[in-house]
Amino acid sequence: MNTIPTQHTRVLSGMRPTGRLHLGHYHGVLSNWVKLQHEYPCFFFVADWHALTTHYENPTVIPQNTWDMVIDWLASGVNPGEATIFIQSRVPEHAELHLLLSMITPLGWLERVPTYKDQQEKLKEKDLSTYGFLGYPLLQSADILIYRAGQVPVGEDQVTHVELTREVARRFNHIYGREPDFEEKAEEAIKKMGKKAARLYQGYRRAYQEQGDEEALSAARALLESQQNIGVADRDRLFGYIEGGGKVILPEPQPLLTKSAKMPGLDGQKMSKSYGNTISLAANPEQVTQQIRTMPTDPARVRRTDPGDPDKCPVWRFHEIYSDERQCHWVREGCQSAGIGCLECKQPVIDAVLTELKPMQERAASYAAQPDVVRNIINEGCEKARETARETMDEVRHAISLNV
Ligand code: TRP
Ligand code: SF4
């Protein structure tokens, strides 16, 4: 019955529905998702309820933004055959878990999340003194915990939310994971694994408890994940039993920081819609060419004969992303000696961006021409996500004595 994929390596991430995406999203997030989908069971979702926490006055744009964003995910190479793509509001179990977690989350934990005050400052024109806005990191915790995700790819600004999630999970397990007969149940569960696995498990458990052997801890977890003979509840008990505590109903996730280079914008600042310095994934070749040709360069290079400094030029930052070593050398040398002109320097960047965008735009066009296919992908993803979410909720309700 235990068909859940390896729960401690499950990857989950979400994005607010912002509409069409740009190269910053691709290099910062999506290319990483595409890589992760080959390595782990991945769940990627549109955080439409999260959009409401800050844009509750303007919800009518959400459906179109959701649609456009999903198409851009698919265009970027997120593969519905590998990853589960879904929409948060189509899995209402997130809301139920959020509600239940809210019962045990101290207000101070939410008030201390740095994004709470920061965002209120930043979005001064909006009234964000709402209950939903204060609670949105907890909604994010529910998003993560309901899939028992082990890894959560996020930007640095979101790491504190994953940390909050860990604390909430720990508190939940502490309060609800304690069964009066926990030890007996765990011992019985060990027997169900069969002699060989049971002996291995006991050995790892001892090594961890007596010597704090972290490798034994990982080995024990991997062993449990591979067990076919035990049910979900027993597995959770045995996860907790390695460390001595109670049942691990909601495992603690880890943030997964992307190592990928930060995509600079056309002006050298971080690429972001609010700075107006983006190259859209949907930009046509003329737009791309025009945008890059008019990029600012080292201000000291007034005339073609003036030498320049690549470190003071946003175009160089693009070369760092797109050019090989030989070409980077050509740029640095040519710039510093005034051997090349700026337009000449920009041409390989234009070519590289066009080459990168072309297959994406072909995929986007093909999906946009088949809305039924996209709808099906979303429907299937939502159904699959919901199944997993339901399993967790059954256990959560059971742990809180809510199932009659
Ligand atoms: N809060 C995230 C953002 O604003 C989006 C998000 C919602 C998310 N739920 C999540 C990201 C769960 C990772 C995991 O970008
Ligand atoms: Fe920038 Fe290239 Fe011009 Fe140097 S030559 S200033 S790196 S665009």
Side-chain angles (χ1 to χ4, degrees), residues 161-174:
H161 297 173
V162 182
E163 269 156 19
L164 171 78
T165 305
R166 292 168 60 82
E167 277 166 38
V168 171
R170 211 173 303 142
R171 187 164 160 85
F172 185 95
N173 294 329
H174 181 76

Side-chain angles (χ1 to χ4, degrees), residues 12-16 45 47 50 136 140 143-144 152-154 158:
L12 173 118
S13 200
M15 230 189 252
R16 290 172 181 236
F45 74 100
H50 282 261
Y136 102 78
Q140 184 164 353
D143 299 336
I144 297 168
V152 185
V154 282
Q158 300 277 314

Side-chain angles (χ1 to χ4, degrees), residues 188-218:
E188 261 165 50
I190 293 178
K191 290 195 195 115
K192 290 184 201 157
M193 286 197 291
K195 270 215 178 85
K196 184 160 164 262
R199 205 172 324 115
L200 275 171
Y201 175 86
Q202 304 271 36
Y204 292 140
R205 178 168 179 262
R206 212 170 309 119
Y208 179 70
Q209 293 200 349
E210 288 170 10
Q211 292 134 42
D213 183 344
E214 293 286 334
E215 267 174 41
L217 177 63
S218 316

Side-chain angles (χ1 to χ4, degrees), residues 184-253:
E184 293 90 87
K185 283 190 169 154
E187 289 294 338
E188 261 165 50
I190 293 178
K191 290 195 195 115
K192 290 184 201 157
M193 286 197 291
K195 270 215 178 85
K196 184 160 164 262
R199 205 172 324 115
L200 275 171
Y201 175 86
Q202 304 271 36
Y204 292 140
R205 178 168 179 262
R206 212 170 309 119
Y208 179 70
Q209 293 200 349
E210 288 170 10
Q211 292 134 42
D213 183 344
E214 293 286 334
E215 267 174 41
L217 177 63
S218 316
R221 286 178 176 163
L223 175 72
L224 290 177
E225 278 159 6
S226 70
Q227 286 304 304
Q228 305 294 323
N229 301 343
I230 50 174
V232 183
D234 274 339
R235 203 193 36 214
D236 291 344
R237 283 187 189 100
L238 293 181
F239 266 113
Y241 198 49
I242 311 171
E243 293 163 88
K247 220 165 151 183
V248 178
I249 304 155
L250 301 174
E252 293 177 38

Side-chain angles (χ1 to χ4, degrees), residues 43-310:
F43 287 75
F44 300 129
F45 74 100
V46 180
D48 55 350
W49 280 338
H50 282 261
L52 281 178
T53 64
T54 49
H55 293 70
Y56 51 85
E57 284 169 315
N58 195 15
T60 51
V61 297
I62 292 177
Q64 187 66 46
N65 282 351
T66 297
W67 184 260
D68 290 345
M69 189 166 82
V70 169
I71 291 203
D72 277 347
W73 288 0
L74 296 168
S76 299
V78 177
N79 176 358
E82 293 180 276
T84 304
I85 298 172
F86 68 100
I87 297 170
Q88 183 184 34
S89 63
R90 296 264 302 268
V91 187
E93 284 78 6
H94 289 227
E96 185 182 354
L97 184 58
H98 177 211
L99 174 88
L100 294 175
L101 296 178
S102 78
M103 306 300 172
I104 62 160
T105 305
L107 263 185
W109 289 11
L110 293 171
E111 286 160 345
R112 275 196 299 274
V113 171
T115 47
Y116 178 56
K117 292 250 151 58
D118 289 357
Q119 291 289 99
Q120 278 187 333
E121 283 290 308
K122 227 161 121 193
L123 304 172
K124 268 228 170 72
E125 72 285 359
K126 295 204 173 101
D127 180 6
L128 293 182
S129 50
T130 57
Y131 179 49
F133 184 70
L134 175 68
Y136 102 78
L138 190 64
L139 178 58
Q140 184 164 353
S141 299
D143 299 336
I144 297 168
L145 295 174
I146 205 158
Y147 300 101
R148 306 179 200 232
Q151 304 184 80
V152 185
V154 282
E156 265 173 70
D157 58 322
Q158 300 277 314
V159 169
T160 50
H161 297 173
V162 182
E163 269 156 19
L164 171 78
T165 305
R166 292 168 60 82
E167 277 166 38
V168 171
R170 211 173 303 142
R171 187 164 160 85
F172 185 95
N173 294 329
H174 181 76
I175 299 176
Y176 301 114
R178 291 182 186 270
E179 306 164 296
D181 46 357
F182 175 71
E183 298 235 333
E184 293 90 87
K185 283 190 169 154
E187 289 294 338
E188 261 165 50
I190 293 178
K191 290 195 195 115
K192 290 184 201 157
M193 286 197 291
K195 270 215 178 85
K196 184 160 164 262
R199 205 172 324 115
L200 275 171
Y201 175 86
Q202 304 271 36
Y204 292 140
R205 178 168 179 262
R206 212 170 309 119
Y208 179 70
Q209 293 200 349
E210 288 170 10
Q211 292 134 42
D213 183 344
E214 293 286 334
E215 267 174 41
L217 177 63
S218 316
R221 286 178 176 163
L223 175 72
L224 290 177
E225 278 159 6
S226 70
Q227 286 304 304
Q228 305 294 323
N229 301 343
I230 50 174
V232 183
D234 274 339
R235 203 193 36 214
D236 291 344
R237 283 187 189 100
L238 293 181
F239 266 113
Y241 198 49
I242 311 171
E243 293 163 88
K247 220 165 151 183
V248 178
I249 304 155
L250 301 174
E252 293 177 38
Q254 292 287 350
L256 193 66
L257 280 167
T258 327
K259 282 176 278 327
S260 73
K262 281 249 162 19
M263 182 74 197
L266 290 161
D267 56 0
Q269 298 187 79
K270 179 179 183 243
M271 188 177 277
S272 158
K273 207 154 128 192
S274 54
Y275 297 142
N277 62 1
T278 62
I279 298 177
S280 165
L281 295 186
N284 65 39
E286 293 71 39
Q287 285 168 318
V288 171
T289 306
Q290 183 62 12
Q291 282 184 307
I292 298 177
R293 285 177 79 100
T294 52
M295 271 177 82
T297 59
D298 176 3
R301 271 205 100 178
V302 183
R303 278 173 300 257
R304 165 72 177 78
T305 47
D306 296 332
D309 178 358

Side-chain angles (χ1 to χ4, degrees), residues 297-298 301 310 313 315-316 331 335 340-342 345-346:
T297 59
D298 176 3
R301 271 205 100 178
C313 177
V315 179
W316 165 246
V331 171
C335 179
I340 57 169
C342 289
C345 177
K346 287 170 170 178

